[in-house]
Amino acid sequence: MNYVDIPPPPPHAELRADVDVDLAGTVHRVRRLAARAFVTLLLPGGLLQVVVEGGVPESVRTGAALRVEGRLRTASLRDPALAWPGLELAAERVEVLASPTATPPFDLGRPELAATPEHRLEHRPIALRHPKVRAVFTIQAALVRAFREHLDGLGFTGIHSPKLGAQGAEGGASLFELPYFGRRAVLAQSPQLYKEMCVAAFGRVYEVGPVFRAEPHATRRHLNEYTSLDVELGPLGDLGALMALEVGLLRAMFAHVRERCARELALLGVAPPTAARAVSLPFAAVKARSGEAGDDLSPGEERAACAWAEAEAGAELVFVTQYPSSKRPFYARDCAADPTVTESFDLLYRGTEITTGGLRIHEPDVLRAKLVARGMDPEAFGFFLQAHDCGLPPHGGFGLGLERLTALICGLDNVRDAALFPRDAHRLSP
Amino acid sequence: MNYVDIPPPPPHAELRADVDVDLAGTVHRVRRLAARAFVTLLLPGGLLQVVVEGGVPESVRTGAALRVEGRLRTASLRDPALAWPGLELAAERVEVLASPTATPPFDLGRPELAATPEHRLEHRPIALRHPKVRAVFTIQAALVRAFREHLDGLGFTGIHSPKLGAQGAEGGASLFELPYFGRRAVLAQSPQLYKEMCVAAFGRVYEVGPVFRAEPHATRRHLNEYTSLDVELGPLGDLGALMALEVGLLRAMFAHVRERCARELALLGVAPPTAARAVSLPFAAVKARSGEAGDDLSPGEERAACAWAEAEAGAELVFVTQYPSSKRPFYARDCAADPTVTESFDLLYRGTEITTGGLRIHEPDVLRAKLVARGMDPEAFGFFLQAHDCGLPPHGGFGLGLERLTALICGLDNVRDAALFPRDAHRLSP
């Protein structure tokens, strides 16, 4: 048989002045003057300005794909969306690779995406092409990259747990159910049981993956499908070590965003994220101060706790500890001194909860008793109990909602704007 | 309110001789001699041998969690499962943090996990604790890490597309369906449509995430839920550039595994993965050689093509190109010279298909005509067509099945052994 050898790809070139290049990209915007045209071209690293003397044909418009040969030269450009404001490409040859047949539903060349939230979501694939929308997901990708790199460096193993299962980890009515080869399956609300069992095999694990909640939410901070950044480790002695781990992780993630996404942060007009100081407060103390009843914190109490910690302690991260046992899942560890509260926390940032975490029950008899006390069937959790019977170290972990964290960093009012293609009770498409 | 400051965690310490340490881990195995005990302890970096003069109590057994203080010293140990065969920890103090109440269903201390495949899967959370099983997932995590790092370095953006949607990308009967707030939703068979639409916004994208196939498979190479490593990019001129990208990516992934997982490869007794040479062969040439009919390759034909490429060209990666259009999804690009075949490929490695990839249709009129010709409803793909109408560059990409690639590298006969918690028509738990 005749075969063709596949060569390795050419190395990735840095763009710099006085270099001849042959680049392909997608047209973001075109400005036509009498004698020349300015084309903003999307490359893998961001937007580059291209100058074409003599102008460009009609087919060169927003959404077209071009191949441009020419020479890079220094420039001093003021468009904050440009990735290379110090460079422009003087085109010598322009080839149109593809050209759109329709005009986008919004003007992508304007500094702001002028559209109602509903209109933006309806035409989400097109809205993603706006530099300010794209910036949100560049920051999101940087957060995930730093999350993984930091934990890889601490000896964690990245895992992939199943999203189809026989029962949920959190209980309650928030499970999506589906027929599965003559049986009933559910979609994972969290990788909780799997990550706990993996602690015995790997010691330290993390997962980046989707989770599904069937709650008919209509709030600005909930989604029915979101990306959870999950961490679990053992042996783990106390809650303080877990909180310290999360502080170190968030600092690394924020530092990475400050270093790699300075342009995106500036484009969005938001302050670079920092986490200079972190404090913890007991749940009861937050309640005593607010004077509100209830065994959970309201959004108003979360905002007030953050404002207080910022003003009094200069702290941006606020761990609220000793949550009531009644509001925590069956696997949460109760405090030895007071079993009505748990060795767990919610972490608040910029006024909103971004994490729930804590120590878990590792003793099989305690876990069985807790399941029975909650009216749950230990038989349904047989494999989870077996993992405890055969030995799980004292362990704990947390889950961090990626979209919510992204929204807070990017100053977005609605978590939907931090999901590429958000899913809520009314939205299953695009 | 009184608050407690959260300090950053202590730095991660390297283990080396003549250093005093205070470590916590899980007991993998205990050997009791008259005057001392040897405890193999699982730490985040792997297994370390601990020597306890005077022996250890009964509660120190497989699955127990220990805290050990003592001094590290040089040693020369022969257990291939040890991460530090040149070190042992002379314990001065041993604290039992937790101890199991049951004996594991298999002896985890033996070099091989002596159990039937069914028994291993039934007790999967415990089987994962065996060093040879754990090694598979250490290699898998390394593959994912290298996949991301290589593509991050080439300007790709990591994305998270929704797994719940209104319709599938691939068509056919292999969709899981579920009720969704009074409507019907499906689970994603692939991120195909989303990654294509993201090319216009980001240029180059990748995703690591679960995909779901409702086919009642019972083969050694299929799962109903698996992890797909997806890549898509544009502008992309020709299939050769895409194949070159994948060759470079696989070489980087294999190099990472060779460097980071040498111990795991040796423990599994498999050759380090290489991809010294890659070739491409037309589909029709493979068929002509085998003499078999049909418009897809049989497993036997895939094995024969690999054996031939290895023998004749010294090639480990075999791209089979020009697949019949009838067997490819609606978005696949037909060859200009012969529209009965596509600008697509399957990539074979060690006798098995690990990737399907190719160029896509980027012209909206061609895409509409293809949908109609297939009897599919263009209305159902309205948002995908709008993305084409508003301009998509010529683009292409591929998807790589993580479990299948892991199985081939680790010499596993069944892809189930390369999934942490495999899902098939008969298995939804653990």
Side-chain angles (χ1 to χ4, degrees), chain A residues 23-274:
Chain A
L23 299 170
T26 307
V27 174
H28 169 59
R29 191 163 64 126
V30 183
R31 280 182 301 138
R32 291 181 161 82
L33 301 186
R36 62 184 65 85
F38 295 96
V39 178
T40 318
L41 201 64
L42 177 67
L43 301 173
L47 295 174
L48 175 73
Q49 172 154 303
V50 179
V51 185
V52 190
E53 296 298 333
V56 290
E58 259 311 299
S59 59
V60 176
R61 54 180 183 273
T62 297
L66 304 185
R67 178 180 166 190
V68 185
E69 291 174 75
R71 173 163 282 227
L72 290 164
R73 64 190 181 201
T74 54
S76 181
L77 306 168
R78 272 174 306 185
D79 180 350
L82 290 173
W84 293 276
L87 280 184
E88 66 183 8
L89 172 54
E92 279 146 32
R93 195 180 147 270
V94 174
E95 180 186 355
V96 181
L97 304 171
S99 189
T101 55
T103 304
F106 359 77
D107 184 348
L108 295 167
R110 295 175 65 170
E112 299 296 328
L113 187 63
T116 63
E118 192 56 27
H119 195 226
R120 280 204 308 269
L121 291 177
E122 192 62 37
H123 300 286
R124 188 67 170 166
I126 314 300
L128 292 174
R129 303 179 186 190
H130 190 275
K132 285 202 173 185
V133 180
R134 179 165 54 230
V136 170
F137 297 97
T138 303
I139 290 169
Q140 185 167 85
L143 287 168
V144 174
R145 183 173 170 182
F147 173 85
R148 293 177 161 274
E149 285 180 359
H150 185 76
L151 295 173
D152 283 338
L154 293 175
F156 281 75
T157 300
I159 61 169
H160 301 274
S161 69
K163 305 310 157 200
L164 288 166
Q167 75 283 305
E170 313 286 327
S174 66
L175 283 167
F176 284 110
E177 299 186 8
L178 68 156
Y180 187 86
F181 302 109
R183 277 182 294 171
R184 163 192 171 272
V186 302
L187 293 181
Q189 295 163 306
S190 95
Q192 184 65 33
L193 307 187
Y194 293 99
K195 67 176 183 170
E196 284 192 55
M197 295 190 296
C198 282
V199 165
F202 302 99
R204 302 176 171 196
V205 296
Y206 69 83
E207 178 163 7
V208 177
V211 295
F212 306 90
R213 306 279 169 113
E215 294 147 2
H217 295 309
T219 85
R220 291 178 296 110
R221 51 192 226 167
H222 289 99
L223 292 165
N224 291 105
E225 174 180 351
Y226 68 90
T227 305
S228 184
L229 308 183
D230 268 279
V231 170
E232 197 79 15
L233 71 158
L236 177 71
D238 64 284
L239 198 63
L242 185 64
M243 294 190 286
L245 174 76
E246 185 167 10
V247 172
L249 174 60
L250 285 168
R251 282 187 184 151
M253 292 166 72
F254 291 177
H256 187 90
V257 167
R258 290 196 306 271
E259 285 158 27
R260 301 295 194 102
C261 302
R263 177 164 40 85
E264 285 78 9
L265 293 166
L267 186 62
L268 294 171
V270 294
T274 55

Side-chain angles (χ1 to χ4, degrees), chain A residues 310-360:
Chain A
E310 180 79 51
E312 299 288 312
E316 291 169 282
L317 297 176
V318 184
F319 290 90
V320 179
T321 60
Q322 298 169 39
Y323 259 74
S325 184
S326 58
K327 290 299 280 187
R328 291 305 210 202
F330 73 93
Y331 51 77
R333 186 167 194 80
D334 293 333
C335 289
D338 176 3
T340 67
V341 299
T342 51
E343 293 266 25
S344 76
F345 61 77
D346 272 10
L347 172 58
L348 313 180
Y349 175 64
R350 295 190 177 176
T352 300
E353 179 245 305
I354 56 170
T355 283
T356 294
L359 304 185
R360 325 299 188 184

Side-chain angles (χ1 to χ4, degrees), chain B residues 6 143 163 188 197 265 272 305 374 405 416:
Chain B
I6 310 294
L143 287 169
K163 305 310 156 199
M197 294 190 296
L265 293 166
R374 298 242 167 153
L405 179 63
R416 283 164 187 71

Side-chain angles (χ1 to χ4, degrees), chain B residues 8 63 67 75 102 124 213 218 224 268 324 343 354 360 365 392 424:
Chain B
R67 177 180 167 189
R124 188 68 170 166
R213 305 279 169 115
N224 291 105
L268 293 170
E343 293 265 26
I354 56 169
R360 325 298 188 185
D365 53 336
L392 276 186
D424 62 32

Side-chain angles (χ1 to χ4, degrees), chain A residues 5 163-164 225 423, chain B residues 5 163-164 225 277 423:
Chain A
D5 253 303
K163 305 310 157 200
L164 288 166
E225 174 180 351
R423 293 294 178 252
Chain B
D5 253 303
K163 305 310 156 199
L164 288 166
E225 175 180 349
R277 195 166 175 194
R423 294 292 178 255

Side-chain angles (χ1 to χ4, degrees), chain A residues 1-9 12 24-26 42 44 62-63 65-66 97-98 100-105 123 125-126 128-129 134 137-138 140-141 144-145 148 152-155 157-166 176-181 183-185 187 194 197-204 208 210 212 214-216 224-225 227 235 240 243-245 247-248 251 277-282 285-286 289 308 312-313 319 362 364 383 386-387 389-394 402 420-421 423-430, chain B residues 1-9 12 24-26 42-44 62-63 65-66 97-98 100-105 123 125-126 128-129 134 137-138 140-141 144-145 148 152-155 157-166 176-181 183-185 187 194 197-204 208 210 212 214-216 224-225 227 235 240 243-245 247-248 251 277-282 285-286 289 308 312-313 319 362 364 383 386-387 389-394 402 420-421 423-430:
Chain A
M1 287 190 280
N2 286 324
Y3 58 82
V4 176
D5 253 303
I6 309 295
H12 203 48
T26 307
L42 177 67
T62 297
L66 304 185
L97 304 171
T101 55
T103 304
H123 300 286
I126 314 300
L128 292 174
R129 303 179 186 190
R134 179 165 54 230
F137 297 97
T138 303
Q140 185 167 85
V144 174
R145 183 173 170 182
R148 293 177 161 274
D152 283 338
L154 293 175
T157 300
I159 61 169
H160 301 274
S161 69
K163 305 310 157 200
L164 288 166
F176 284 110
E177 299 186 8
L178 68 156
Y180 187 86
F181 302 109
R183 277 182 294 171
R184 163 192 171 272
L187 293 181
Y194 293 99
M197 295 190 296
C198 282
V199 165
F202 302 99
R204 302 176 171 196
V208 177
F212 306 90
E215 294 147 2
N224 291 105
E225 174 180 351
T227 305
M243 294 190 286
L245 174 76
V247 172
R251 282 187 184 151
R277 196 167 174 192
V279 297
S280 77
L281 292 166
V286 179
R289 191 179 153 85
W308 182 88
E312 299 288 312
F319 290 90
H362 65 272
F383 65 88
Q386 186 191 30
D389 290 336
C390 292
L392 276 186
L402 177 61
L420 270 181
F421 298 96
R423 293 294 178 252
D424 61 32
H426 306 291
R427 190 164 295 285
L428 198 50
S429 175
Chain B
M1 285 191 280
N2 287 323
Y3 59 83
V4 176
D5 253 303
I6 310 294
H12 204 46
T26 307
L42 177 67
L43 300 174
T62 297
L66 303 185
L97 303 171
T101 55
T103 305
H123 300 286
I126 314 299
L128 291 174
R129 303 179 185 188
R134 180 165 53 228
F137 297 97
T138 303
Q140 185 167 85
V144 173
R145 183 174 169 180
R148 292 177 160 276
D152 284 338
L154 292 176
T157 300
I159 61 169
H160 301 274
S161 69
K163 305 310 156 199
L164 288 166
F176 285 110
E177 299 185 8
L178 68 156
Y180 186 87
F181 302 110
R183 279 182 291 171
R184 163 193 172 272
L187 293 181
Y194 293 99
M197 294 190 296
C198 282
V199 166
F202 302 100
R204 301 176 170 195
V208 178
F212 306 91
E215 293 147 3
N224 291 105
E225 175 180 349
T227 304
M243 294 190 285
L245 174 75
V247 171
R251 281 187 184 150
R277 195 166 175 194
V279 297
S280 76
L281 292 166
V286 179
R289 192 178 153 86
W308 181 89
E312 298 289 311
F319 289 89
H362 65 272
F383 64 90
Q386 185 190 32
D389 289 336
C390 293
L392 276 186
L402 177 62
L420 270 181
F421 299 96
R423 294 292 178 255
D424 62 32
H426 306 291
R427 191 164 293 285
L428 198 51
S429 173

